[in-house]
Structures are given as structure tokens and as C-alpha cells.
Amino acid sequence: MPKVTVDGQEIEVPNGATVLQACELAGKEIPRFCYHERLSIAGNCRMCLVEVKPGPPKPQASCALPATEGQEIRTDTPMVKTAREGVMEFLLINHPLDCPICDQGGECDLQDQSVAYGRGGSRYHENKRAVTEKYMGPLIKTTMTRCIHCTRCVRFSEEVAGVDEIGALYRGEDMQITTYLEHAAKHELSANVIDLCPVGALTSGPYAYEARPWELKKTLSIDVSDAMGANIRVDSRGREVLRVLPRINDDVNEEWISDKARYQVDGLTRRRLDKVWIRKSGKLKEASWDEAFKKIAGAKAGKSIAAIAGDMVDCETMFAAKALLKACGSKMIESRQTGMSYDCTNLAAINFNTGFAGIAEADAILIVGSHVRWEAPLLNVRLRKAAKRGAKIYLVGPEWETTFPAEFIGDDRSVLANLPGHVAEALNGATRPAVIVGGAGLAAGGHGAALKIAQDFNMIRTLEDGTSWNGFNALHFSAARMGAVMLGYAQAGGIADVVKAKPKVVLALGADEVDFAAFGDALKVYIGHHGDKGAHAADIVLPAAAYTEKAGTYVSTEGRVQFADKAVFAPGDAREDWTILRALADALKVSVGFDSFDQLRAAMVAEVPALGEEGLANYGSLPASVAGDASPSGTITYPIKDFYLTNPIARASAVMQQCSAELLHGEELAEAAE
């Protein structure tokens, strides 16, 4: 490790570190625009200039200069100060003085650094360059006159997202950043370029002119649009969520989130359930809480009551429902709404054991029944990293447009019983082999076949450096799935067992994908936050809180336990889910053992201790086999047909509907003039 001196302070830096990184290790702030830790080095902006000896007697770009033994680095000399002022002056030559109307205001790197490192005034009096706005789709608003050509957006699209949608035209001062033929940016992570843009050239279209950052209350939360458990920040004003931004977590989402996680939030104020409804004479009519509870109690279900958990439910809600059913003498709880019945007796067999960060280290990967770009866009980023390191990736399922080199080897599960020779050879020769079985792969024997592949190719092993490697991974789509199975929401035969039991009362906890017709004359009670499929089929609708309106515990598909805080209050008469279930317990004259949220969480942790510890849960070792190990067969069909409309909140979102119509279905939407 080389030793360098930064402003008189001698430090040791890692091999391969740049001068900029060395300065930061020494506690020195280095201004930058084009440099970003997760992108390749461009050296475009020249804002990071420092003086380095030995070397030429001029400032040098620290982001692109390797730190070597014996370097003397100065960040505080008059030369450096003058050079930074000059660079800032050049960057601002064509930049419009429109800070008061710019949505980047308050979060603008250019604004902050011009004050800290600029001259304080411009000597440029000629005409400024003007650039027309570019069309980049419904999510990204462009004001390209502000662009300083840092190329962060270009590098993100190419290097992280893996699509060549954003690039540059012309040269020098005439350079313009745009999409190909000004088509919309269609990939699932496109809006992350808004966070990356340091100057307000790319801002959020749906959020434009809605608020200033200092007006917003910021709440830490967890994304529930998929099972990745991305760390997010919910920004709200009053009782309305205005935007969602990513938080940095290198183990989970790094600093990216999907477009759906970011922009489905306008659906939180649309199609909301804010009153109690009871079906009378075939139509839902407004009612009171007491009337609803009396009707449920009047069904006299006894132990003939079932609970079905939806895809976005928190663990506390599921535990409260479980406690209610236990008090009634029932164990009919299920979370797999669409009829799947894979073996859940061993949680390690349905967990993403490699971890999201670990899968990027794999050198041979077999993906079974998963459209990863739609089911887990952030995992797709990790797979791309693995491919860039040289990993061979093979897929079983219908073809989709990958963002990394990959080979589709068939769309029938029977392929799993007889892998092509070159695939078997690649898995055999790999140091870190892995298999990922998605939702479509978990059906019809695919689960057992994937587990057998993991055993046949010795995917659970100890590596040469002494670390353990578990290459068997199950990829769920539902944010609630792992928490649900930890709480026992899994019948041996899936939801078919619940249907067979013919319960008198069915509690649907935000469950919108259930075939309610299968429950015949049962009293169907929907406890949820949107007027979606479940509410339409229900006999009683009880308005509940969305994920931003309650505190809760969520478990990602890699078994990571995480906690979310309450950002806003639920609208109208809607209540937090656990309070509804607690009141229902009183109506049914049973005791559930808790009267507050803290008591509820304590009881849940007492039953499942892992739910009280933030971080990866320990599920033990993989089983030798799982139930239903018959030879897999049947064509794989992916569960997601429309990436933007996968849950009740997204389906209520005008932004997501526009994305679906324009980006997936090719509809042209006319925009009003600004």
C-alpha cells in the first residue's frame, strides 16, 4: 500500500486508489461533477484539480490520477484555488441563471460548489448557448441548456443499466446529451439519472414544481414494489407523499431504485379506500365500523376462518391476523395467492442464499423461470456485474431482452432434468456456481429440480479462502413472501388447502390476486388500502393503511429483516391494519394478547426471534430434497405481464399507467404545452 502526503499529512492508501480518493481518506473535500464512485472515470469537468509532486508544475485532475508511493498532494495552494475558480467560470458560461425556477434548487451540486469554489462573479458577457429540451420519456424532464456534459447519465445507462439509450451528439461546446432519436428511456432504472445529474439538466417530470426539499418531511422506509427490499426515503408534506428517493445500502440496492418504486407513489392518493363498505343487494354500500364488525361476528365462523396475505403486507399485520385466527382455533393462513404450493418446510430452500452482493461474484449462473428485469430490476444490476467479471449466464424460460451476455437454453422445465453439455461443463468448472429459481420455476417440480442441480454441481461449498458459498437461490416477487413463510403463512397444498376447507369467513389482507370465486358462499372481508380486485370481490371492505402510513417489518427475498417508519397518516376512516384486527378480536370475543403496536411487535419477536434483529436471518442448511420432487415439465410462463402495473398502488398511479401505455404498448400521449 503506497504512502502519500496530503497537505502535509502522511497517509497510507489502498493499491489502485486515485489521488481524489487519497485526499478524501485524509479528510479533504474535493469538488467534482463528473466523478461518481459507482461509474467509470471520465475526467470531463476538471473541477477536482490538485497540485501533485513529482509531476508537471500545473494542476492535475485528481479523479483520473493514480496515487503512487511518495506523492506530495496539495489541495490548498493558490494555484489550485485559481484553477478551480477558472474551471467553475467556464462551466457557468452557458448555464442559465434560473435557480429560482429549477427543481434542483436546494439539492444542486453546481449551486453549492459555485459558492464554495467559484469566483463570485462572471467575466463572460457574450451570448450564451441555448439547447432545446430533449424528450426522454414520461419520467425525465429535461432542461438541456443547464447541461455541463459530465456524462454521468450516459455512463449510468451503459455501465449500470446496460442499455445504450442515452448518448452524446456533436463536440465541444456544441455537445448535446440525448436519447437515440429522442425516444423515451425505457429501461426499468431510467429515473436514477435524475439523482445522478449534478446541475438540474435532468429533473423529475412527475414531481416538477411540486415542492422544495426543505418543505418536506423525510422518513426512512423500505420499498414494497418487489422483493428486493430496497432502502428508500419517503418525502412527504402534510398527509401526502410527494416523492420517493433511494438510500445508500451497498448490500441491497447500492444507491439505485426501480422506476416503479420511485413513481408509483402518486397512486397512494388515488382509488383509496377511506370508508367502510358492505355489500347489500349485490352492491357495496357505505357503512360503519360497528356494522361491519357485527356482520363478521354474525357469520359465527368459529374456527372456520381463513386469512390470505397479499404481496405488500408487513409482518406485524400478518402476525396480528395469525393471532386472531389462533384465538378462534384456526390455522388456515396462506400467502401464495395464485395457487403455488412449493415446499416451505425449510426456509433455506426458498431463500436467496448467495445474497445480492454475493451473486455478483458468481462465475456461472443458471436462471430458472425468472424475467429478472421485471421481477427484480436491482438484481439485474448485480447479474450484469457478474457478467462483466466473466460469468457465464444461462436462462430457462421464454426469451426476454437481457442487458448482459446470456444464453436461453429452452422454455420448458424438462430442460432442468437434462442440462445441455456445455451448461453442465460451465457449472462443473465454476468456482462459484449458482442457480436462481424464480416464481415460474418454483411451480410444477421446478423447485425440487433446481435444488437437485445445486446438489449435483456442489453449489454449497467452502472456497479456497475459507469462506462459505451457497449458490442456491429462490427469487420471489412479493415483498411479503419471506416474512409470511417465517410466520407460517404456507399450507402444504397452498391456497388449494384453504379452498378445500370451505371457511365461512375469509380475511384478505391486501390480497388482490386471489380467485375469490373459489370460496363460494364464504363471507369475504377485504382489509386493504385500494379499491382494486380484492375490494371488488369482497362482501365487506375495511379501509387500511398503505406501506407509507404505518411502521412495519419487511423481509426481502434474501432473508434480510428491515424496518420501515410511518411517514404520513392514512386518509379518511382508514386505520392501521393491526388496529382493525385488534378491534375485530373484540367483536369476535377472543383475546389476541396485545393492545398496542409495541406489544404486537414484542409478541411477534417472541414467536419468531429473527424478526426482531435487523439484517440477514439464519435459515440453517439446505435440505437434501423437497416435497414434490417429480420430474419437472411444462412450459414456463412469467407471472408479470406488465412491469408498471403489478400491484394495487401502481395500478392506481397515473404515472405508472402512462409508462405502461407509452413505454410498453407504444401509445402516443399528447402533452399540454407548458
Side-chain angles (χ1 to χ4, degrees):
M1 296 174 65
K3 291 182 179 178
V4 301
T5 304
V6 181
D7 293 345
Q9 176 187 352
E10 188 178 76
I11 61 168
E12 201 172 45
V13 299
N15 292 322
T18 63
V19 170
L20 186 150
Q21 291 168 325
C23 293
E24 290 189 331
L25 287 171
K28 304 295 180 178
E29 182 183 33
I30 303 295
R32 84 291 299 266
F33 292 113
C34 67
Y35 177 80
H36 192 277
E37 293 80 357
R38 303 186 196 276
L39 304 176
S40 63
I41 295 170
N44 289 339
C45 72
R46 321 305 288 183
M47 198 63 206
C48 63
L49 294 173
V50 296
E51 201 173 340
V52 181
K53 296 178 181 178
K58 64 176 184 179
Q60 298 187 67
S62 59
C63 68
L65 186 65
T68 57
E69 182 69 34
Q71 277 180 333
E72 184 181 338
I73 305 164
R74 302 295 305 191
T75 69
D76 54 359
T77 64
M79 180 193 291
V80 171
K81 183 177 182 297
T82 304
R84 290 174 178 173
E85 288 177 353
V87 169
M88 180 61 70
E89 197 171 9
F90 274 115
L91 289 175
L92 291 173
I93 276 178
N94 291 308
H95 196 86
L97 299 177
D98 62 349
C99 296
I101 62 164
C102 179
D103 262 351
Q104 197 86 353
E107 299 172 322
C108 181
D109 293 342
L110 185 65
Q111 207 172 48
D112 295 341
Q113 294 186 40
S114 67
V115 172
Y117 303 101
R119 283 177 49 87
S122 175
R123 294 172 292 180
Y124 185 80
H125 301 291
E126 285 73 19
N127 292 327
K128 290 179 177 280
R129 175 207 65 192
V131 181
T132 57
E133 276 72 357
K134 310 298 182 184
Y135 181 71
M136 291 191 179
L139 304 180
I140 306 170
K141 178 179 173 62
T142 65
T143 312
M144 301 314 292
T145 301
R146 300 173 186 155
C147 180
I148 62 169
H149 307 154
C150 71
T151 68
R152 280 187 178 184
C153 54
V154 177
R155 285 175 284 150
F156 172 83
S157 297
E158 293 178 352
E159 297 168 10
V160 179
V163 294
D164 294 328
E165 288 185 342
I166 302 178
L169 299 174
Y170 316 122
R171 300 181 66 183
E173 184 185 54
D174 296 323
M175 178 176 167
Q176 298 182 24
I177 303 295
T178 182
T179 53
Y180 179 69
L181 296 178
E182 291 199 39
H183 289 172
K186 294 183 178 181
H187 63 87
E188 300 77 17
L189 302 169
S190 66
N192 286 286
V193 300
I194 297 167
D195 299 333
L196 288 172
C197 183
V199 298
L202 306 177
T203 54
S204 175
Y207 174 71
Y209 310 125
E210 289 291 327
R212 290 298 192 184
W214 53 85
E215 302 174 344
L216 305 176
K217 185 182 81 169
K218 301 167 178 61
T219 309
L220 306 184
S221 189
I222 304 298
D223 172 46
V224 296
S225 64
D226 57 33
M228 292 292 290
N231 290 206
I232 59 173
R233 192 187 83 196
V234 178
D235 288 0
S236 58
R237 184 176 60 193
R239 303 186 69 161
E240 185 178 1
V241 175
L242 293 181
R243 66 176 182 177
V244 161
L245 296 177
R247 290 188 285 134
I248 297 177
N249 188 328
D250 287 332
D251 293 327
V252 183
N253 57 305
E254 298 179 285
E255 59 185 88
W256 325 120
I257 54 171
S258 71
D259 291 350
K260 181 167 54 181
R262 187 186 297 265
Y263 285 118
Q264 68 176 6
V265 292
D266 71 309
L268 292 168
T269 59
R270 295 177 169 87
R271 300 184 190 173
R272 287 302 303 268
L273 298 174
D274 57 0
K275 297 176 182 176
V276 178
W277 300 86
I278 296 179
R279 192 173 298 277
K280 299 176 181 178
S281 303
K283 291 185 177 181
L284 288 171
K285 297 185 179 180
E286 191 177 332
S288 67
W289 285 98
D290 286 341
E291 190 179 352
F293 288 148
K294 284 178 182 177
K295 185 166 183 176
I296 297 170
K300 297 180 179 179
K303 64 180 182 180
S304 184
I305 182 171
I308 303 170
D311 291 342
M312 308 171 77
V313 188
D314 57 293
C315 292
E316 285 82 359
T317 296
M318 290 187 284
F319 180 79
K322 181 183 178 181
L324 174 63
L325 264 65
K326 184 179 180 181
C328 295
S330 172
K331 295 182 178 179
M332 289 187 287
I333 52 177
E334 181 57 70
S335 62
R336 296 164 293 179
Q337 304 177 65
T338 56
M340 300 180 72
S341 58
Y342 49 84
D343 191 341
C344 295
T345 53
N346 185 303
L347 297 187
I350 55 170
N351 185 50
F352 202 95
N353 296 290
T354 305
F356 303 144
I359 198 67
E361 305 292 333
D363 45 8
I365 306 172
L366 176 66
I367 302 174
V368 182
S370 178
H371 188 326
V372 184
R373 281 187 64 175
W374 283 7
E375 294 175 25
L378 296 172
L379 179 63
N380 197 70
V381 173
R382 304 285 191 173
L383 293 174
R384 178 167 166 78
K385 283 187 177 182
K388 289 171 77 173
R389 288 191 173 101
K392 297 178 180 178
I393 303 178
Y394 306 96
L395 297 101
V396 180
E399 294 191 14
W400 46 276
E401 189 178 351
T402 62
T403 59
F404 45 80
E407 180 185 351
F408 287 85
I409 58 175
D411 61 358
D412 196 282
R413 297 182 187 89
S414 58
V415 175
L416 301 177
N418 189 21
L419 292 176
H422 67 288
V423 178
E425 186 179 343
L427 293 173
N428 265 323
T431 305
R432 292 178 172 87
V435 60
I436 300 174
V437 55
L442 287 169
H447 186 202
L451 188 61
K452 187 174 185 303
I453 287 172
Q455 292 165 349
D456 291 346
F457 294 98
N458 189 28
M459 291 185 180
I460 297 89
R461 60 179 70 177
T462 301
L463 303 176
E464 290 183 358
D465 59 1
T467 58
S468 58
W469 173 262
N470 187 337
F472 180 82
N473 303 294
L475 177 60
H476 302 292
F477 169 70
S478 165
R481 183 60 40 81
M482 286 305 295
V485 294
M486 289 174 73
L487 289 166
Y489 274 74
Q491 304 291 312
I495 203 167
D497 284 1
V498 181
V499 173
K500 193 183 297 181
K502 296 182 179 180
K504 292 182 180 179
V505 174
V506 177
L507 302 180
L509 310 175
D512 290 282
E513 312 303 328
V514 179
D515 179 13
F516 287 100
F519 290 100
D521 297 329
L523 181 68
K524 295 175 275 292
V525 182
Y526 182 78
I527 305 174
H529 40 78
H530 274 77
D532 206 77
K533 302 173 186 176
H536 289 211
D539 300 308
I540 299 175
V541 176
L542 304 178
Y547 72 105
T548 56
E549 298 157 2
K550 56 186 174 182
T553 304
Y554 298 93
V555 187
S556 71
T557 189
E558 65 168 349
R560 186 178 299 275
V561 179
Q562 300 183 114
F563 307 116
D565 296 328
K566 179 178 179 177
V568 294
F569 289 95
D573 292 336
R575 302 178 182 177
E576 294 184 31
D577 307 57
W578 77 269
T579 64
I580 297 172
L581 294 161
R582 176 63 184 82
L584 182 56
D586 286 344
L588 297 177
K589 295 181 171 55
V590 295
S591 175
V592 290
F594 56 83
D595 295 309
S596 68
F597 182 79
D598 290 340
Q599 290 177 357
L600 165 63
R601 180 170 276 179
M604 179 182 73
V605 172
E607 182 172 310
V608 187
L611 291 176
E613 299 179 17
E614 191 170 23
L616 293 174
N618 184 4
Y619 297 138
S621 57
L622 282 174
S625 62
V626 294
D629 240 359
S631 297
S633 62
T635 303
I636 289 173
T637 55
Y638 299 130
I640 298 178
K641 307 303 179 187
D642 190 319
F643 168 72
Y644 297 102
L645 304 176
T646 56
N647 61 67
I649 299 175
R651 287 191 284 268
S653 164
V655 177
M656 291 293 96
Q657 289 176 9
Q658 183 179 351
C659 288
S660 172
E662 185 174 346
L663 304 182
L664 292 185
H665 302 293
E667 296 181 17
E668 293 187 4
L669 302 176
E671 292 188 7
E674 291 186 358

